[in-house]
Amino acid sequence: MKILAIESSCDDTSVALVECSNKGFFVIAEKTASQIDLHKKFGGVIPEIAGRMHAEKIIPLVEEISKEGKPDIITVASGPGLITGLIVGVETARNLSYFLKKPLVSVNHLEGHIHSVEIDSKIKNQKSKIAYPALALIVSGGHTELILMKKPGNYKLIGATLDDAAGECFDKVAKMLKLSYPGGPKISILAQKGNGKAIDFPRPMLNQDNFNFSFSGLKTAVLYHLQKNPANNKKKLQDFCASFEQAIIDVLTEKTVRAIKKYKPKTVVMGGGVTANTKLRQTMEEKIKPLGIPLLIPELKYCMDNATMLAIAGYYKAKNKKFIDWKKIKADPTWEIG
Ligand code: KG4
Ligand code: ZN
C-alpha cells in the first residue's frame, strides 16, 4: 500500500509517499521544508510563526508529492507537539481523506521516531528489522523516554524525563554559549576535539533505581560552572562541550543498559534528533554489543523529524485496521505514548 504521510508537529513541514508492504518500505518521495532559519534569530521555535509557516508550505508540498503517485492511505502525526503546527497537519490530512475517499490513520510522533530505524533509503525491499519485544530510547528536543514494546502499537512507558528533554538541554546550554539554535549539533561538533573528562559534571539520577531522567539540574550546574569559569578560548570551549555531552551520554547509555538487563528485549531501538549525535551512537553501540542484543539506529537524515517515519508507523496501524473517521481526528499536543 502507498501511504501519504504528514509531519508538522514542530519546525519541519514534511510530506512523504512511501510504498509499504510485508517485504519492507520504499520511499517514493519525501519533501521537507525546514523553518530553522526563521526561528534561529529568536533562539528557539516560536509557535505562532511555526503555525503560519506550516500553513504556507503544506499544500505546495502535498501537491508536489502527489505527482509521484496516488495514496491508498493518509497518515498524520496528530500529537504530541505544538498545537499551532499539529492543527495544520491534521486539517490537511482530514481534507485529503475526505476528498480522496482514502482511510485515515492518526499516529503519535514518537511512534514515528521508533519506526525511523526501519527506513533504509538505499534498499528497495528490506525486511522489517525490529524484533519484539523491543526496547526504545527516544531522545529528541521534546522527549527523553524509555519505552517497552511487545509488538507494534503496544507501548509501555518505563521511564521519562521529569523536566527537560536531552535535546532541550543541549539547546539551552548552547544558548548559554551563544551558539545558534538548534544547539545540539554545534555542541557535538565542538565536543569532538575536546576532553570529556575535563570537567566532572553531575550525572542526574544515575544512582536512582528507576528509568527516569532529569536534565534541568545538569543545566543549572553548567550555568554556575560557566559563570565561574567562562569558556573563553577554543580549548576551554571544546573541553566544556565534550564534558557536558559526556554527562548526558553516560546517563542515557547507563539507564538503557540497565533496562536491557531487566527487560531482556530482542532489539534495542534509538530514535529522535539527539540520535544524530556521533558520540552517543558510538557509546551506545560499545555498551550494548557485549550484551549480544542488536541496536537499531536511524540513518542520520531520519533522526530528525520527517514524514517517512510516520508512514511506517501508520502502516502498522493500518494493517491492524486502526483507522480514524475524518470527522473525528483531533490534534492532541500532549498525547502520551503508552
Ligand atoms: O526529533 P527532533 O528533530 O525534534 C523533536 O521532535 O524534538 O529533535 C531535535 C533535537 C534538538 O534539540 C537538537 O538540538 C537535537 O535534536 N540534536 C542533537 C544533535 N542533532 C540534533 N543533539 C545532540 N547532538 C546532535 N548531533
Ligand atoms: Zn521529533
Side-chain angles (χ1 to χ4, degrees), residues 7 9 108-119 130 136-143 269-275 296-298 302-306 309-310 313 337:
E7 156 63 30
S9 67
N108 185 298
H109 179 81
L110 302 187
E111 288 183 275
H113 278 305
I114 290 171
H115 289 289
S116 66
V117 300
E118 296 186 298
I119 313 165
I130 302 179
L137 172 71
I138 301 298
V139 263
S140 69
H143 294 85
V269 171
M270 202 162 79
V274 183
T275 312
L296 305 177
I297 310 180
Y302 294 112
C303 292
M304 304 304 166
D305 291 347
N306 64 85
M309 66 185 194
L310 301 169
I337 200 166

PDB file of all heavy atoms in Angstrom, residues 7 9 108-119 130 136-143 269-275 296-298 302-306 309-310 313 337:
ATOM      1  N   GLU A   7       3.907  15.413   8.500  1.00  0.00           N
ATOM      2  CA  GLU A   7       4.512  15.774   9.794  1.00  0.00           C
ATOM      3  C   GLU A   7       4.539  17.297   9.909  1.00  0.00           C
ATOM      4  O   GLU A   7       5.016  17.984   8.997  1.00  0.00           O
ATOM      5  CB  GLU A   7       5.942  15.198   9.860  1.00  0.00           C
ATOM      6  CG  GLU A   7       6.911  15.904  10.799  1.00  0.00           C
ATOM      7  CD  GLU A   7       6.515  15.847  12.265  1.00  0.00           C
ATOM      8  OE1 GLU A   7       5.868  14.865  12.681  1.00  0.00           O
ATOM      9  OE2 GLU A   7       6.836  16.812  13.001  1.00  0.00           O
ATOM     10  N   SER A   9       4.651  18.737  13.537  1.00  0.00           N
ATOM     11  CA  SER A   9       4.500  18.907  14.986  1.00  0.00           C
ATOM     12  C   SER A   9       5.437  19.946  15.591  1.00  0.00           C
ATOM     13  O   SER A   9       5.217  20.402  16.698  1.00  0.00           O
ATOM     14  CB  SER A   9       4.724  17.567  15.694  1.00  0.00           C
ATOM     15  OG  SER A   9       6.070  17.173  15.555  1.00  0.00           O
ATOM     16  N   ASN A 108       1.158   8.720  16.634  1.00  0.00           N
ATOM     17  CA  ASN A 108       1.902   9.508  17.610  1.00  0.00           C
ATOM     18  C   ASN A 108       3.283   9.796  17.021  1.00  0.00           C
ATOM     19  O   ASN A 108       3.935   8.896  16.473  1.00  0.00           O
ATOM     20  CB  ASN A 108       2.013   8.688  18.907  1.00  0.00           C
ATOM     21  CG  ASN A 108       2.667   9.454  20.030  1.00  0.00           C
ATOM     22  OD1 ASN A 108       3.817   9.845  19.936  1.00  0.00           O
ATOM     23  ND2 ASN A 108       1.933   9.655  21.113  1.00  0.00           N
ATOM     24  N   HIS A 109       3.725  11.039  17.137  1.00  0.00           N
ATOM     25  CA  HIS A 109       5.030  11.448  16.597  1.00  0.00           C
ATOM     26  C   HIS A 109       6.167  10.521  17.089  1.00  0.00           C
ATOM     27  O   HIS A 109       7.083  10.200  16.342  1.00  0.00           O
ATOM     28  CB  HIS A 109       5.278  12.895  17.034  1.00  0.00           C
ATOM     29  CG  HIS A 109       6.572  13.467  16.595  1.00  0.00           C
ATOM     30  ND1 HIS A 109       6.767  13.980  15.332  1.00  0.00           N
ATOM     31  CD2 HIS A 109       7.756  13.606  17.235  1.00  0.00           C
ATOM     32  CE1 HIS A 109       8.013  14.415  15.223  1.00  0.00           C
ATOM     33  NE2 HIS A 109       8.642  14.205  16.365  1.00  0.00           N
ATOM     34  N   LEU A 110       6.056  10.084  18.343  1.00  0.00           N
ATOM     35  CA  LEU A 110       7.127   9.229  18.899  1.00  0.00           C
ATOM     36  C   LEU A 110       7.120   7.831  18.292  1.00  0.00           C
ATOM     37  O   LEU A 110       8.161   7.200  18.152  1.00  0.00           O
ATOM     38  CB  LEU A 110       7.011   9.145  20.425  1.00  0.00           C
ATOM     39  CG  LEU A 110       7.066  10.473  21.174  1.00  0.00           C
ATOM     40  CD1 LEU A 110       7.104  10.234  22.675  1.00  0.00           C
ATOM     41  CD2 LEU A 110       8.261  11.309  20.770  1.00  0.00           C
ATOM     42  N   GLU A 111       5.927   7.353  17.896  1.00  0.00           N
ATOM     43  CA  GLU A 111       5.861   6.071  17.182  1.00  0.00           C
ATOM     44  C   GLU A 111       6.656   6.182  15.886  1.00  0.00           C
ATOM     45  O   GLU A 111       7.302   5.241  15.454  1.00  0.00           O
ATOM     46  CB  GLU A 111       4.413   5.744  16.781  1.00  0.00           C
ATOM     47  CG  GLU A 111       3.486   5.358  17.876  1.00  0.00           C
ATOM     48  CD  GLU A 111       2.112   5.005  17.306  1.00  0.00           C
ATOM     49  OE1 GLU A 111       1.300   5.933  17.099  1.00  0.00           O
ATOM     50  OE2 GLU A 111       1.858   3.823  17.065  1.00  0.00           O
ATOM     51  N   GLY A 112       6.580   7.368  15.292  1.00  0.00           N
ATOM     52  CA  GLY A 112       7.345   7.615  14.069  1.00  0.00           C
ATOM     53  C   GLY A 112       8.839   7.504  14.346  1.00  0.00           C
ATOM     54  O   GLY A 112       9.561   6.790  13.644  1.00  0.00           O
ATOM     55  N   HIS A 113       9.306   8.174  15.407  1.00  0.00           N
ATOM     56  CA  HIS A 113      10.743   8.107  15.730  1.00  0.00           C
ATOM     57  C   HIS A 113      11.173   6.656  15.975  1.00  0.00           C
ATOM     58  O   HIS A 113      12.258   6.254  15.581  1.00  0.00           O
ATOM     59  CB  HIS A 113      11.077   8.971  16.951  1.00  0.00           C
ATOM     60  CG  HIS A 113      11.263  10.427  16.610  1.00  0.00           C
ATOM     61  ND1 HIS A 113      12.164  10.853  15.660  1.00  0.00           N
ATOM     62  CD2 HIS A 113      10.679  11.551  17.099  1.00  0.00           C
ATOM     63  CE1 HIS A 113      12.123  12.179  15.576  1.00  0.00           C
ATOM     64  NE2 HIS A 113      11.226  12.631  16.425  1.00  0.00           N
ATOM     65  N   ILE A 114      10.317   5.875  16.628  1.00  0.00           N
ATOM     66  CA  ILE A 114      10.667   4.472  16.882  1.00  0.00           C
ATOM     67  C   ILE A 114      10.851   3.739  15.547  1.00  0.00           C
ATOM     68  O   ILE A 114      11.860   3.069  15.322  1.00  0.00           O
ATOM     69  CB  ILE A 114       9.568   3.775  17.727  1.00  0.00           C
ATOM     70  CG1 ILE A 114       9.584   4.323  19.157  1.00  0.00           C
ATOM     71  CG2 ILE A 114       9.750   2.256  17.710  1.00  0.00           C
ATOM     72  CD1 ILE A 114       8.418   3.885  20.030  1.00  0.00           C
ATOM     73  N   HIS A 115       9.906   3.914  14.629  1.00  0.00           N
ATOM     74  CA  HIS A 115       9.963   3.160  13.369  1.00  0.00           C
ATOM     75  C   HIS A 115      10.934   3.765  12.362  1.00  0.00           C
ATOM     76  O   HIS A 115      11.162   3.176  11.296  1.00  0.00           O
ATOM     77  CB  HIS A 115       8.556   3.002  12.785  1.00  0.00           C
ATOM     78  CG  HIS A 115       7.732   2.041  13.594  1.00  0.00           C
ATOM     79  ND1 HIS A 115       7.979   0.687  13.595  1.00  0.00           N
ATOM     80  CD2 HIS A 115       6.714   2.240  14.470  1.00  0.00           C
ATOM     81  CE1 HIS A 115       7.133   0.093  14.415  1.00  0.00           C
ATOM     82  NE2 HIS A 115       6.363   1.009  14.967  1.00  0.00           N
ATOM     83  N   SER A 116      11.539   4.909  12.702  1.00  0.00           N
ATOM     84  CA  SER A 116      12.519   5.512  11.773  1.00  0.00           C
ATOM     85  C   SER A 116      13.696   4.570  11.538  1.00  0.00           C
ATOM     86  O   SER A 116      14.378   4.663  10.531  1.00  0.00           O
ATOM     87  CB  SER A 116      13.009   6.861  12.308  1.00  0.00           C
ATOM     88  OG  SER A 116      13.746   6.677  13.503  1.00  0.00           O
ATOM     89  N   VAL A 117      13.932   3.635  12.458  1.00  0.00           N
ATOM     90  CA  VAL A 117      15.057   2.698  12.282  1.00  0.00           C
ATOM     91  C   VAL A 117      14.776   1.693  11.169  1.00  0.00           C
ATOM     92  O   VAL A 117      15.681   1.007  10.704  1.00  0.00           O
ATOM     93  CB  VAL A 117      15.390   1.921  13.585  1.00  0.00           C
ATOM     94  CG1 VAL A 117      15.774   2.873  14.696  1.00  0.00           C
ATOM     95  CG2 VAL A 117      14.221   1.033  14.013  1.00  0.00           C
ATOM     96  N   GLU A 118      13.526   1.606  10.736  1.00  0.00           N
ATOM     97  CA  GLU A 118      13.188   0.612   9.704  1.00  0.00           C
ATOM     98  C   GLU A 118      13.261   1.190   8.290  1.00  0.00           C
ATOM     99  O   GLU A 118      12.956   0.504   7.326  1.00  0.00           O
ATOM    100  CB  GLU A 118      11.795   0.022   9.985  1.00  0.00           C
ATOM    101  CG  GLU A 118      11.787  -0.745  11.299  1.00  0.00           C
ATOM    102  CD  GLU A 118      10.496  -1.476  11.569  1.00  0.00           C
ATOM    103  OE1 GLU A 118       9.452  -0.806  11.685  1.00  0.00           O
ATOM    104  OE2 GLU A 118      10.523  -2.697  11.678  1.00  0.00           O
ATOM    105  N   ILE A 119      13.697   2.446   8.185  1.00  0.00           N
ATOM    106  CA  ILE A 119      13.841   3.049   6.855  1.00  0.00           C
ATOM    107  C   ILE A 119      15.267   2.805   6.382  1.00  0.00           C
ATOM    108  O   ILE A 119      16.217   3.150   7.082  1.00  0.00           O
ATOM    109  CB  ILE A 119      13.626   4.585   6.886  1.00  0.00           C
ATOM    110  CG1 ILE A 119      12.374   4.952   7.684  1.00  0.00           C
ATOM    111  CG2 ILE A 119      13.576   5.146   5.478  1.00  0.00           C
ATOM    112  CD1 ILE A 119      12.307   6.431   8.059  1.00  0.00           C
ATOM    113  N   ILE A 130      12.773  -4.512  13.371  1.00  0.00           N
ATOM    114  CA  ILE A 130      12.552  -4.537  14.824  1.00  0.00           C
ATOM    115  C   ILE A 130      12.024  -5.919  15.223  1.00  0.00           C
ATOM    116  O   ILE A 130      11.000  -6.356  14.715  1.00  0.00           O
ATOM    117  CB  ILE A 130      11.550  -3.451  15.286  1.00  0.00           C
ATOM    118  CG1 ILE A 130      12.036  -2.054  14.890  1.00  0.00           C
ATOM    119  CG2 ILE A 130      11.338  -3.522  16.792  1.00  0.00           C
ATOM    120  CD1 ILE A 130      11.094  -0.921  15.281  1.00  0.00           C
ATOM    121  N   ALA A 136      12.812   0.806  23.318  1.00  0.00           N
ATOM    122  CA  ALA A 136      13.135   2.008  22.540  1.00  0.00           C
ATOM    123  C   ALA A 136      13.555   3.149  23.455  1.00  0.00           C
ATOM    124  O   ALA A 136      12.923   3.391  24.488  1.00  0.00           O
ATOM    125  CB  ALA A 136      11.927   2.432  21.713  1.00  0.00           C
ATOM    126  N   LEU A 137      14.629   3.825  23.051  1.00  0.00           N
ATOM    127  CA  LEU A 137      15.024   5.061  23.726  1.00  0.00           C
ATOM    128  C   LEU A 137      14.745   6.200  22.747  1.00  0.00           C
ATOM    129  O   LEU A 137      15.318   6.242  21.659  1.00  0.00           O
ATOM    130  CB  LEU A 137      16.523   5.041  24.072  1.00  0.00           C
ATOM    131  CG  LEU A 137      17.080   6.368  24.600  1.00  0.00           C
ATOM    132  CD1 LEU A 137      16.573   6.667  26.012  1.00  0.00           C
ATOM    133  CD2 LEU A 137      18.610   6.391  24.592  1.00  0.00           C
ATOM    134  N   ILE A 138      13.849   7.097  23.143  1.00  0.00           N
ATOM    135  CA  ILE A 138      13.559   8.264  22.304  1.00  0.00           C
ATOM    136  C   ILE A 138      14.243   9.471  22.926  1.00  0.00           C
ATOM    137  O   ILE A 138      13.998   9.801  24.088  1.00  0.00           O
ATOM    138  CB  ILE A 138      12.029   8.537  22.231  1.00  0.00           C
ATOM    139  CG1 ILE A 138      11.293   7.331  21.655  1.00  0.00           C
ATOM    140  CG2 ILE A 138      11.733   9.784  21.404  1.00  0.00           C
ATOM    141  CD1 ILE A 138      11.677   6.973  20.245  1.00  0.00           C
ATOM    142  N   VAL A 139      15.123  10.101  22.151  1.00  0.00           N
ATOM    143  CA  VAL A 139      15.805  11.299  22.656  1.00  0.00           C
ATOM    144  C   VAL A 139      15.681  12.411  21.619  1.00  0.00           C
ATOM    145  O   VAL A 139      16.330  12.377  20.588  1.00  0.00           O
ATOM    146  CB  VAL A 139      17.309  11.067  22.966  1.00  0.00           C
ATOM    147  CG1 VAL A 139      17.541  10.793  24.419  1.00  0.00           C
ATOM    148  CG2 VAL A 139      17.915   9.980  22.106  1.00  0.00           C
ATOM    149  N   SER A 140      14.831  13.390  21.939  1.00  0.00           N
ATOM    150  CA  SER A 140      14.609  14.470  20.970  1.00  0.00           C
ATOM    151  C   SER A 140      14.589  15.803  21.707  1.00  0.00           C
ATOM    152  O   SER A 140      14.935  15.879  22.884  1.00  0.00           O
ATOM    153  CB  SER A 140      13.287  14.231  20.244  1.00  0.00           C
ATOM    154  OG  SER A 140      12.220  14.418  21.142  1.00  0.00           O
ATOM    155  N   GLY A 141      14.150  16.842  20.988  1.00  0.00           N
ATOM    156  CA  GLY A 141      14.065  18.154  21.609  1.00  0.00           C
ATOM    157  C   GLY A 141      12.941  18.224  22.632  1.00  0.00           C
ATOM    158  O   GLY A 141      12.970  19.035  23.555  1.00  0.00           O
ATOM    159  N   GLY A 142      11.943  17.371  22.488  1.00  0.00           N
ATOM    160  CA  GLY A 142      10.788  17.418  23.381  1.00  0.00           C
ATOM    161  C   GLY A 142      10.663  16.228  24.313  1.00  0.00           C
ATOM    162  O   GLY A 142       9.905  16.279  25.273  1.00  0.00           O
ATOM    163  N   HIS A 143      11.398  15.138  24.036  1.00  0.00           N
ATOM    164  CA  HIS A 143      11.204  13.910  24.807  1.00  0.00           C
ATOM    165  C   HIS A 143      12.500  13.177  25.118  1.00  0.00           C
ATOM    166  O   HIS A 143      13.438  13.207  24.334  1.00  0.00           O
ATOM    167  CB  HIS A 143      10.278  12.948  24.041  1.00  0.00           C
ATOM    168  CG  HIS A 143       8.891  13.482  23.901  1.00  0.00           C
ATOM    169  ND1 HIS A 143       8.539  14.324  22.887  1.00  0.00           N
ATOM    170  CD2 HIS A 143       7.797  13.319  24.682  1.00  0.00           C
ATOM    171  CE1 HIS A 143       7.266  14.662  23.035  1.00  0.00           C
ATOM    172  NE2 HIS A 143       6.795  14.070  24.122  1.00  0.00           N
ATOM    173  N   VAL A 269      16.089  -0.053  20.148  1.00  0.00           N
ATOM    174  CA  VAL A 269      15.865   0.934  19.102  1.00  0.00           C
ATOM    175  C   VAL A 269      16.149   2.314  19.678  1.00  0.00           C
ATOM    176  O   VAL A 269      15.798   2.585  20.823  1.00  0.00           O
ATOM    177  CB  VAL A 269      14.368   0.871  18.676  1.00  0.00           C
ATOM    178  CG1 VAL A 269      14.018   2.003  17.754  1.00  0.00           C
ATOM    179  CG2 VAL A 269      14.044  -0.474  18.066  1.00  0.00           C
ATOM    180  N   MET A 270      16.800   3.159  18.887  1.00  0.00           N
ATOM    181  CA  MET A 270      17.062   4.513  19.373  1.00  0.00           C
ATOM    182  C   MET A 270      16.563   5.492  18.308  1.00  0.00           C
ATOM    183  O   MET A 270      16.882   5.313  17.127  1.00  0.00           O
ATOM    184  CB  MET A 270      18.578   4.649  19.566  1.00  0.00           C
ATOM    185  CG  MET A 270      18.980   5.723  20.500  1.00  0.00           C
ATOM    186  SD  MET A 270      20.679   5.497  21.060  1.00  0.00           S
ATOM    187  CE  MET A 270      21.627   6.105  19.712  1.00  0.00           C
ATOM    188  N   GLY A 271      15.787   6.498  18.696  1.00  0.00           N
ATOM    189  CA  GLY A 271      15.271   7.447  17.703  1.00  0.00           C
ATOM    190  C   GLY A 271      15.150   8.854  18.259  1.00  0.00           C
ATOM    191  O   GLY A 271      15.206   9.064  19.466  1.00  0.00           O
ATOM    192  N   GLY A 272      14.988   9.833  17.346  1.00  0.00           N
ATOM    193  CA  GLY A 272      14.862  11.233  17.745  1.00  0.00           C
ATOM    194  C   GLY A 272      16.120  12.013  17.389  1.00  0.00           C
ATOM    195  O   GLY A 272      17.180  11.423  17.165  1.00  0.00           O
ATOM    196  N   GLY A 273      15.985  13.339  17.366  1.00  0.00           N
ATOM    197  CA  GLY A 273      17.061  14.207  16.891  1.00  0.00           C
ATOM    198  C   GLY A 273      18.420  13.991  17.541  1.00  0.00           C
ATOM    199  O   GLY A 273      19.458  14.017  16.869  1.00  0.00           O
ATOM    200  N   VAL A 274      18.437  13.724  18.857  1.00  0.00           N
ATOM    201  CA  VAL A 274      19.716  13.585  19.567  1.00  0.00           C
ATOM    202  C   VAL A 274      20.463  12.307  19.119  1.00  0.00           C
ATOM    203  O   VAL A 274      21.675  12.192  19.267  1.00  0.00           O
ATOM    204  CB  VAL A 274      19.498  13.615  21.102  1.00  0.00           C
ATOM    205  CG1 VAL A 274      20.803  13.541  21.864  1.00  0.00           C
ATOM    206  CG2 VAL A 274      18.742  14.877  21.502  1.00  0.00           C
ATOM    207  N   THR A 275      19.711  11.385  18.523  1.00  0.00           N
ATOM    208  CA  THR A 275      20.324  10.159  17.985  1.00  0.00           C
ATOM    209  C   THR A 275      21.334  10.472  16.883  1.00  0.00           C
ATOM    210  O   THR A 275      22.145   9.627  16.510  1.00  0.00           O
ATOM    211  CB  THR A 275      19.209   9.240  17.430  1.00  0.00           C
ATOM    212  OG1 THR A 275      18.180   9.156  18.401  1.00  0.00           O
ATOM    213  CG2 THR A 275      19.699   7.852  17.147  1.00  0.00           C
ATOM    214  N   LEU A 296      19.393  -0.856  16.879  1.00  0.00           N
ATOM    215  CA  LEU A 296      18.991  -0.241  15.616  1.00  0.00           C
ATOM    216  C   LEU A 296      18.957   1.276  15.781  1.00  0.00           C
ATOM    217  O   LEU A 296      18.300   1.789  16.682  1.00  0.00           O
ATOM    218  CB  LEU A 296      17.610  -0.742  15.191  1.00  0.00           C
ATOM    219  CG  LEU A 296      17.453  -2.262  15.079  1.00  0.00           C
ATOM    220  CD1 LEU A 296      16.022  -2.615  14.732  1.00  0.00           C
ATOM    221  CD2 LEU A 296      18.395  -2.821  14.027  1.00  0.00           C
ATOM    222  N   ILE A 297      19.698   1.959  14.896  1.00  0.00           N
ATOM    223  CA  ILE A 297      19.763   3.430  14.943  1.00  0.00           C
ATOM    224  C   ILE A 297      19.356   3.947  13.566  1.00  0.00           C
ATOM    225  O   ILE A 297      19.757   3.373  12.555  1.00  0.00           O
ATOM    226  CB  ILE A 297      21.195   3.912  15.266  1.00  0.00           C
ATOM    227  CG1 ILE A 297      21.748   3.176  16.484  1.00  0.00           C
ATOM    228  CG2 ILE A 297      21.239   5.405  15.490  1.00  0.00           C
ATOM    229  CD1 ILE A 297      23.166   3.590  16.859  1.00  0.00           C
ATOM    230  N   PRO A 298      18.570   5.033  13.499  1.00  0.00           N
ATOM    231  CA  PRO A 298      18.171   5.520  12.176  1.00  0.00           C
ATOM    232  C   PRO A 298      19.342   6.083  11.383  1.00  0.00           C
ATOM    233  O   PRO A 298      20.324   6.541  11.966  1.00  0.00           O
ATOM    234  CB  PRO A 298      17.164   6.632  12.476  1.00  0.00           C
ATOM    235  CG  PRO A 298      17.251   6.905  13.925  1.00  0.00           C
ATOM    236  CD  PRO A 298      17.973   5.792  14.597  1.00  0.00           C
ATOM    237  N   TYR A 302      17.163  10.476   8.915  1.00  0.00           N
ATOM    238  CA  TYR A 302      15.885  10.119   9.510  1.00  0.00           C
ATOM    239  C   TYR A 302      15.858  10.252  11.036  1.00  0.00           C
ATOM    240  O   TYR A 302      14.897   9.871  11.684  1.00  0.00           O
ATOM    241  CB  TYR A 302      15.456   8.722   9.064  1.00  0.00           C
ATOM    242  CG  TYR A 302      15.169   8.680   7.578  1.00  0.00           C
ATOM    243  CD1 TYR A 302      15.987   7.968   6.710  1.00  0.00           C
ATOM    244  CD2 TYR A 302      14.109   9.407   7.049  1.00  0.00           C
ATOM    245  CE1 TYR A 302      15.741   7.961   5.340  1.00  0.00           C
ATOM    246  CE2 TYR A 302      13.865   9.417   5.693  1.00  0.00           C
ATOM    247  CZ  TYR A 302      14.673   8.691   4.842  1.00  0.00           C
ATOM    248  OH  TYR A 302      14.428   8.700   3.495  1.00  0.00           O
ATOM    249  N   CYS A 303      16.961  10.795  11.619  1.00  0.00           N
ATOM    250  CA  CYS A 303      16.947  11.085  13.064  1.00  0.00           C
ATOM    251  C   CYS A 303      16.036  12.279  13.326  1.00  0.00           C
ATOM    252  O   CYS A 303      15.305  12.327  14.299  1.00  0.00           O
ATOM    253  CB  CYS A 303      18.352  11.436  13.555  1.00  0.00           C
ATOM    254  SG  CYS A 303      19.487  10.056  13.516  1.00  0.00           S
ATOM    255  N   MET A 304      16.119  13.276  12.444  1.00  0.00           N
ATOM    256  CA  MET A 304      15.318  14.494  12.602  1.00  0.00           C
ATOM    257  C   MET A 304      13.870  14.216  12.182  1.00  0.00           C
ATOM    258  O   MET A 304      13.599  13.223  11.520  1.00  0.00           O
ATOM    259  CB  MET A 304      15.862  15.605  11.693  1.00  0.00           C
ATOM    260  CG  MET A 304      17.318  15.907  11.913  1.00  0.00           C
ATOM    261  SD  MET A 304      17.615  16.334  13.618  1.00  0.00           S
ATOM    262  CE  MET A 304      19.379  16.205  13.623  1.00  0.00           C
ATOM    263  N   ASP A 305      12.997  15.166  12.507  1.00  0.00           N
ATOM    264  CA  ASP A 305      11.594  14.994  12.156  1.00  0.00           C
ATOM    265  C   ASP A 305      11.430  14.832  10.641  1.00  0.00           C
ATOM    266  O   ASP A 305      12.000  15.607   9.872  1.00  0.00           O
ATOM    267  CB  ASP A 305      10.786  16.206  12.643  1.00  0.00           C
ATOM    268  CG  ASP A 305      10.712  16.229  14.160  1.00  0.00           C
ATOM    269  OD1 ASP A 305      11.064  15.213  14.783  1.00  0.00           O
ATOM    270  OD2 ASP A 305      10.293  17.257  14.707  1.00  0.00           O
ATOM    271  N   ASN A 306      10.658  13.839  10.235  1.00  0.00           N
ATOM    272  CA  ASN A 306      10.411  13.598   8.811  1.00  0.00           C
ATOM    273  C   ASN A 306       9.096  12.836   8.673  1.00  0.00           C
ATOM    274  O   ASN A 306       8.645  12.179   9.622  1.00  0.00           O
ATOM    275  CB  ASN A 306      11.579  12.788   8.215  1.00  0.00           C
ATOM    276  CG  ASN A 306      11.682  11.401   8.841  1.00  0.00           C
ATOM    277  OD1 ASN A 306      11.022  10.469   8.412  1.00  0.00           O
ATOM    278  ND2 ASN A 306      12.486  11.270   9.897  1.00  0.00           N
ATOM    279  N   MET A 309       8.986   8.445   8.465  1.00  0.00           N
ATOM    280  CA  MET A 309       8.868   7.610   9.675  1.00  0.00           C
ATOM    281  C   MET A 309       7.402   7.461  10.106  1.00  0.00           C
ATOM    282  O   MET A 309       7.008   6.437  10.664  1.00  0.00           O
ATOM    283  CB  MET A 309       9.728   8.194  10.812  1.00  0.00           C
ATOM    284  CG  MET A 309       9.276   9.535  11.335  1.00  0.00           C
ATOM    285  SD  MET A 309      10.441  10.181  12.561  1.00  0.00           S
ATOM    286  CE  MET A 309       9.451  11.503  13.289  1.00  0.00           C
ATOM    287  N   LEU A 310       6.597   8.476   9.803  1.00  0.00           N
ATOM    288  CA  LEU A 310       5.180   8.410  10.192  1.00  0.00           C
ATOM    289  C   LEU A 310       4.397   7.477   9.282  1.00  0.00           C
ATOM    290  O   LEU A 310       3.423   6.845   9.694  1.00  0.00           O
ATOM    291  CB  LEU A 310       4.569   9.809  10.169  1.00  0.00           C
ATOM    292  CG  LEU A 310       5.286  10.774  11.115  1.00  0.00           C
ATOM    293  CD1 LEU A 310       4.835  12.188  10.885  1.00  0.00           C
ATOM    294  CD2 LEU A 310       5.062  10.369  12.561  1.00  0.00           C
ATOM    295  N   ALA A 313       4.995   4.035  10.769  1.00  0.00           N
ATOM    296  CA  ALA A 313       4.167   3.854  11.969  1.00  0.00           C
ATOM    297  C   ALA A 313       2.700   3.686  11.553  1.00  0.00           C
ATOM    298  O   ALA A 313       1.965   2.860  12.104  1.00  0.00           O
ATOM    299  CB  ALA A 313       4.327   5.049  12.897  1.00  0.00           C
ATOM    300  N   ILE A 337       2.554   8.474  24.779  1.00  0.00           N
ATOM    301  CA  ILE A 337       2.638   7.112  24.271  1.00  0.00           C
ATOM    302  C   ILE A 337       2.621   6.164  25.476  1.00  0.00           C
ATOM    303  O   ILE A 337       3.209   6.458  26.513  1.00  0.00           O
ATOM    304  CB  ILE A 337       3.900   6.961  23.410  1.00  0.00           C
ATOM    305  CG1 ILE A 337       3.825   5.773  22.474  1.00  0.00           C
ATOM    306  CG2 ILE A 337       5.149   6.930  24.223  1.00  0.00           C
ATOM    307  CD1 ILE A 337       4.882   5.789  21.395  1.00  0.00           C
TER     308      ILE A 337
END
